[in-house]
Amino acid sequence: MTAYEKLKTARQSDRPTAVAYIGALFDEVVELHGDRRFGDDAAIVGGLAFFDGRPVTYIGIEKGHDIQSRMKRNFGCPKPEGYRKALRLMKQAEKFGRPVICFVDTLGAFCGADAEERGQGQAIAENLMEMMGLRTPVITLVIGEGGSGGALALACANRVYMLENSVYSVITPEGCASIIWKDADRVADAAENLHITAEDMVRFGVAETVIPEDFAHFKKMCQGIRKSLDADLRELCALSPEGLAEDRYRRFRRLGHFVEG
């Protein structure tokens, strides 16, 4: 498949969303709401659960399935209160020593005047800064589209998994084509040049694992994810709080390929 074909696959409306993964992977799920400053953003779901008997904090970007739920959830584009809710849950997890598991699927942060008025850029920046020093394990799964800072705000993690047809990009290919070539019809060229596929991300060190997709046998597929999560959580939970932050710092310092000439 080309990068553009994978992009279209990642955006298909019938793909399982964050809520489906949360229900399949965790037990005794309790959702928490609100950022304690402004309100609750339905584009981000988060709360407490058990993973194989271990208490964890889960956070996911949820798109919804039909037009009503998609409108309620801003089509999976979080607002500042969503990112602040996520950060509140992360800091709570750090306080009580719970690992944080995030699910990313978004075009990007909500693009609207109300989001800017409430500090969209600052909310994302605070998440990036705080996540880098978080003294508890963080694992992120990109289950669809990982768009720009809106995705990165939940992906400053110790480990990043990507589904085989998921994508991760600094900008949407449509936006890139409009800026670079002044022609949104060149989206396929932009997707290819941006190197947005899961394989690209593993090659650059942005992700550690590519997860095969088998939505026809979703429970079996989630059992494979469960095994990967269990192995990584065992490894990460053996580190000290300072070691977890250092592991995350060193991971991001290694990202990318550079050529000097």
Side-chain angles (χ1 to χ4, degrees):
M1 292 174 67
T2 66
Y4 184 49
E5 288 170 339
K6 291 200 171 191
L7 174 69
K8 291 190 290 185
T9 302
R11 290 175 174 174
Q12 287 178 346
S13 60
D14 59 348
R15 288 174 68 88
T17 61
V19 167
Y21 288 93
I22 291 164
L25 292 171
F26 305 132
D27 301 312
E28 300 183 46
V29 175
V30 177
E31 186 176 355
L32 301 177
H33 297 273
D35 68 342
R36 305 290 169 84
R37 296 191 195 179
F38 177 80
D40 187 50
D41 182 5
I44 287 188
V45 295
L48 314 177
F50 283 93
F51 176 78
D52 285 345
R54 182 198 304 272
V56 299
T57 291
Y58 71 87
I59 303 168
I61 301 177
E62 173 62 27
K63 284 184 171 180
H65 291 282
D66 53 32
I67 188 62
Q68 288 79 18
S69 62
R70 286 176 181 262
M71 289 177 66
K72 174 185 175 182
R73 299 185 186 276
N74 307 328
F75 294 85
C77 296
K79 294 184 178 182
E81 51 269 26
Y83 291 115
R84 292 183 180 121
K85 173 170 68 173
L87 181 57
R88 177 174 76 84
L89 295 176
M90 290 179 206
K91 298 300 287 185
Q92 182 192 79
E94 180 183 52
K95 178 179 179 179
F96 292 102
R98 292 191 298 265
V100 178
I101 301 174
C102 300
F103 301 85
V104 167
D105 185 13
T106 182
L107 283 165
F110 187 80
C111 182
D114 58 336
E116 295 300 328
E117 288 168 355
R118 295 198 294 276
Q120 184 74 286
Q122 182 181 11
I124 292 172
E126 286 178 349
N127 276 34
L128 303 184
M129 179 180 70
E130 294 288 350
M131 284 189 80
M132 288 304 299
L134 209 64
R135 293 154 59 91
T136 197
V138 183
I139 298 177
T140 294
L141 293 81
V142 182
I143 59 175
E145 188 170 7
S148 191
L152 189 59
L154 294 186
C156 290
N158 295 92
R159 303 287 185 271
V160 174
Y161 305 163
M162 291 188 66
L163 269 61
E164 64 178 312
N165 291 318
S166 63
V167 296
Y168 200 4
S169 178
V170 69
I171 188 174
T172 63
E174 292 86 352
C176 176
S178 297
I179 292 169
I180 300 299
W181 294 295
K182 312 300 182 187
D183 183 359
D185 291 336
R186 295 191 63 178
V187 59
D189 293 332
E192 201 65 41
N193 284 281
L194 282 168
H195 300 287
I196 61 177
T197 68
E199 291 77 12
D200 290 325
M201 295 302 105
V202 170
R203 180 159 54 92
F204 294 138
V206 175
E208 280 75 27
T209 304
V210 177
I211 298 171
E213 293 180 5
D214 185 9
F215 298 139
H217 304 92
F218 185 65
K219 288 186 177 180
K220 183 178 179 180
M221 174 183 155
C222 286
Q223 287 174 359
I225 298 174
R226 181 184 287 270
K227 290 180 181 178
S228 295
L229 283 172
D230 183 61
D232 278 333
L233 283 176
R234 287 177 185 274
E235 178 185 346
L236 292 170
C237 288
L239 300 177
S240 67
E242 295 77 12
L244 287 165
E246 181 67 18
D247 173 82
R248 202 175 303 120
Y249 172 79
R250 291 186 179 278
R251 179 186 181 278
F252 276 81
R253 291 289 292 173
R254 292 193 300 266
L255 294 189
H257 289 178
F258 302 92
V259 176
E260 294 184 6

